[in-house]
Amino acid sequence: MLAVQEAWKAGLLGREHWLRNLVAGVVVGVVALPLAMAFAIASGVKPEQGIYTAIVAGVLVSLFGGSRLQIAGPTGAFIVILAGVTAKYGVDGLQIATLMAGLILLLLGISRLGSIIKFIPDPVIVGFTAGIGVIIWVGQWKDFFGLPAVTGEHFHERVWHLLLTLPELHLATTALAVLALLLVIGSPRVPGLRKVPGPLVAMAVVTAIQAMFQFDGVATIGSAFGGIPQGLPSLSLPEVTLPRILELIGPAFAIAMLGAIESLLSAVVADGMAGTKHDSNQELIGQGIANLAAPLFGGFAATGALARTATNIRNGASGPLAGVFHALTLVLILLFLAPLAADIPLCALAAILFVVAWNMSELKHFKRMLQRAPRADVAVLLVTFLLTVFSDLVIAVNIGVILAMLLFMRRMAGSVEVQQVVEHELEAELGGNGQTLLPPGVLVYTIEGPLFFGAAETFERVLAQTHTDPQLLVIRLKRVPFMDITGIQTLEEVIQQLHLRNIRVKLCEANAKVLGKLGKAGILKAIGTEHYHADFKSALASLSEAEPAPAPGS
């Protein structure tokens, strides 16, 4: 269900709710302003493009998303991917990749695949977000300290070059940056400023100081980008060609997957804070629409912004009107206050991103996971983190998920047990049939757990190597929730091997799904339909009947 539709049904669009949503929207809009510009600059585009993105995505996700309190816009998590795309393919390439990512998100939502994102393990998410935090932090050293531009394709090369140029830091730039950092962190603790966003306080104070004293050598939005245009962007379509689409498929999928993960995580947090319940598929559809529209108005990739969504809720928002008011606040700022942005020092935005990077790194959570998680999960966490920092975010997430899946399958395979059931464990069931002992030459085995490819080797080894050759082997399938094709083929091979040893096989107690697969695979026909029993009691009753041993190879 559309978030706005849900809000309408709940009566949250009435005039009595406008004031509280207006207040929340204005506050979030003010918070979004410095963040949108900072994220845009860090992504390799102009600061106003971040504002355009926040406006378009803010409106569309609020109206068409699946979380009525979600605030969307550019986020720090995207910086690593977007900066790489911009550097390699240009701004047009970034906008085409965003369009493609929007289409992918739209298709994911329409296909109802929103819940699949929830299965990405926590060590992978914590690993790559911490890695992104480190990259953002290091990436802002240049603007924070006023250093000359550095070169280097790899992270360690850039860090080394930054360290070499650190003695050349610009004193005025560094002083303003440190002041901005202190204001971002400390202003919320000052009485009278607690309700004013720290990033806004830092940007306003440092901008006023620079405008007053005009320190030489301090880079500003005016000196670096010529200021911010006053007015709204015009509609324009990037030139989309087949070669461009083919070369941008990889980045587009990376943007879409990261956008899906972050937007759904933000929606989950919003649910926890406000007691709401989001629609994950509709949320992906809303994010898809936003990313299809943002590049048409000069914007780039957007997703659910956790910090702004939390700010929205804390300031009393009750529905999607707050998201719309947040976008209108940014529109008014563009129309009436854009000329003032020329004096905003880039070091102030770098200081804001320092705090964003710290929050993204979730150092406490990272440390706690290192201390408490099983060693295998710690390995996944560290591999994902190191690959994010030193290689590539997409590679890191892919390898992290693959490692987590392999570890999960190993654990699942280890939980599957194939055991012989001894007679004293069957006393009650034998007594119900008027029996005290199993007939001579009969063994009973039970399988506990899913019979899938990871557990097939265990199953084959145990059943194919019985200590004695009985006349008949009963395999209980009551505790097998499912089988995959490898498990089915292994069962078939084991039955064939037992038949070659003149051992008859009975199966019993399979659930409906497993029984259907056994029939489709021809296993029931191979053992003879009379040798499958719906319950163990009927299997026991049949044991007293004389059964000729199968001929070799039958």
Side-chain angles (χ1 to χ4, degrees):
M1 182 185 294
L2 289 171
V4 70
Q5 183 182 1
E6 180 193 358
W8 178 75
K9 287 186 175 182
L12 297 174
L13 301 184
R15 290 187 178 180
E16 65 273 18
H17 293 279
W18 280 37
L19 180 59
R20 62 188 298 187
N21 284 289
L22 175 62
V23 171
V26 171
V27 172
V28 176
V30 169
V31 171
L33 177 66
L35 293 175
M37 292 191 291
F39 294 147
I41 293 170
S43 299
V45 297
K46 295 180 179 179
E48 64 266 24
Q49 291 182 270
I51 302 176
Y52 301 157
T53 303
I55 292 170
V56 176
V59 170
L60 294 178
V61 169
S62 293
L63 295 179
F64 299 104
S67 172
R68 67 173 186 244
L69 297 171
Q70 181 85 282
I71 299 294
T75 67
F78 274 143
I79 288 175
V80 176
I81 294 177
L82 303 189
V85 173
T86 305
K88 188 172 182 179
Y89 303 104
V91 176
D92 282 349
L94 174 61
Q95 293 180 323
I96 294 170
T98 301
L99 285 170
M100 294 168 64
L103 181 60
I104 293 168
L105 286 166
L106 193 62
L107 293 176
L108 287 174
I110 293 172
S111 304
R112 307 192 66 79
L113 295 176
S115 60
I116 292 179
I117 305 298
K118 299 176 184 177
F119 295 109
I120 297 179
D122 200 36
V124 176
I125 294 174
V126 173
F128 80 70
T129 52
I132 291 171
V134 171
I135 294 173
I136 293 173
W137 176 59
V138 172
Q140 294 306 305
W141 286 10
K142 173 184 172 294
D143 289 335
F144 189 92
F145 296 108
L147 302 175
V150 298
T151 57
E153 181 179 354
H154 302 290
F155 177 80
H156 66 278
E157 294 173 338
R158 293 193 297 273
V159 171
W160 180 245
H161 290 160
L162 283 168
L163 291 173
L164 291 177
T165 59
L166 201 54
E168 302 176 36
L169 62 83
H170 188 266
L171 288 176
T173 298
T174 304
L176 289 174
V178 171
L179 175 61
L181 184 60
L182 292 174
L183 288 171
V184 173
I185 298 170
S187 65
R189 303 175 186 176
V190 177
L193 291 178
R194 289 174 182 172
K195 293 188 176 181
V196 183
L200 179 65
V201 173
M203 187 179 72
V205 171
V206 174
T207 300
I209 292 173
Q210 174 60 23
M212 186 181 302
F213 294 101
Q214 293 293 321
F215 296 110
D216 290 334
V218 174
T220 64
I221 286 179
S223 64
F225 302 98
I228 291 179
Q230 189 170 12
L232 298 177
S234 57
L235 179 67
S236 63
L237 180 67
E239 186 178 353
V240 182
T241 62
L242 182 58
R244 286 292 254 178
I245 291 174
L246 293 177
E247 68 181 359
L248 289 167
I249 285 177
F253 266 101
I255 293 170
M257 291 302 101
L258 187 56
I261 293 169
E262 190 169 10
S263 65
L264 294 181
L265 285 176
S266 178
V268 169
V269 172
D271 288 347
M273 293 180 67
T276 56
K277 186 173 178 59
H278 76 280
D279 182 334
S280 58
N281 295 309
Q282 188 60 49
E283 181 63 24
L284 294 185
I285 290 173
Q287 297 291 341
I289 293 171
N291 281 281
L292 282 169
L296 304 181
F297 295 93
F300 54 93
T303 186
L306 180 55
R308 275 158 277 170
T309 299
T311 302
N312 188 41
I313 296 169
R314 291 192 191 106
N315 284 276
S318 62
L321 283 175
V324 176
F325 287 136
H326 133 269
L328 291 176
T329 301
L330 291 173
V331 168
L332 293 175
I333 290 172
L334 268 181
L335 292 176
F336 299 106
L337 301 178
L340 300 179
D343 286 320
I344 296 175
L346 298 187
C347 62
L349 300 180
I352 293 170
L353 286 181
F354 268 27
V355 178
V356 170
W358 170 262
N359 292 333
M360 284 192 65
S361 67
E362 294 189 73
L363 185 59
K364 290 182 180 179
H365 192 184
F366 191 95
K367 183 179 178 181
R368 188 165 57 248
M369 191 171 288
L370 284 176
Q371 293 171 338
R372 299 179 182 179
R375 284 183 296 178
D377 291 317
V378 171
V380 172
L381 171 70
L382 293 177
V383 167
T384 306
F385 171 76
L386 292 173
L387 285 175
T388 301
V389 173
F390 292 103
S391 179
D392 179 82
L393 175 62
V394 179
I395 293 173
V397 173
N398 287 339
I399 291 180
V401 170
I402 291 170
L403 283 177
M405 289 172 60
L406 291 174
L407 289 169
F408 173 76
M409 286 186 288
R410 189 186 73 175
R411 289 166 179 161
M412 286 293 293
S415 69
V416 176
E417 295 184 358
V418 183
Q419 296 179 336
Q420 181 181 351
V421 185
V422 295
E423 286 184 334
H424 73 83
E425 296 176 317
L426 298 171
E427 285 179 1
E429 291 169 300
L430 288 170
N433 264 26
Q435 299 169 285
T436 57
L437 297 173
L438 286 171
V442 175
L443 293 180
V444 178
Y445 274 79
T446 181
I447 305 173
E448 297 189 11
L451 190 53
F452 70 113
F453 63 91
E457 188 272 335
T458 300
F459 169 72
E460 184 175 19
R461 184 183 69 251
V462 174
L463 282 189
Q465 296 179 359
T466 54
H467 296 297
T468 60
D469 276 3
Q471 293 179 359
L472 188 141
L473 190 67
V474 181
I475 302 176
R476 303 184 68 174
L477 302 173
K478 182 179 181 179
R479 296 179 180 176
V480 178
F482 68 87
M483 286 185 180
D484 69 358
I485 185 60
T486 307
I488 292 170
Q489 289 176 344
T490 303
L491 177 60
E492 184 178 23
E493 291 169 4
V494 167
I495 290 173
Q496 290 173 353
Q497 292 169 7
L498 293 171
H499 280 182
L500 287 173
R501 293 159 56 187
N502 292 336
I503 301 172
R504 182 67 66 187
V505 177
K506 282 183 179 289
L507 301 176
C508 64
E509 302 179 292
N511 64 41
K513 288 184 178 180
V514 171
L515 182 60
K517 291 180 179 180
L518 294 176
K520 186 177 180 180
I523 291 178
L524 297 182
K525 184 179 179 181
I527 65 171
T529 53
E530 71 277 12
H531 292 301
Y532 174 77
H533 302 273
D535 55 71
F536 188 57
K537 183 177 180 181
S538 59
L540 284 175
S542 72
L543 296 181
S544 59
E545 301 174 7
E547 297 177 348
S554 63

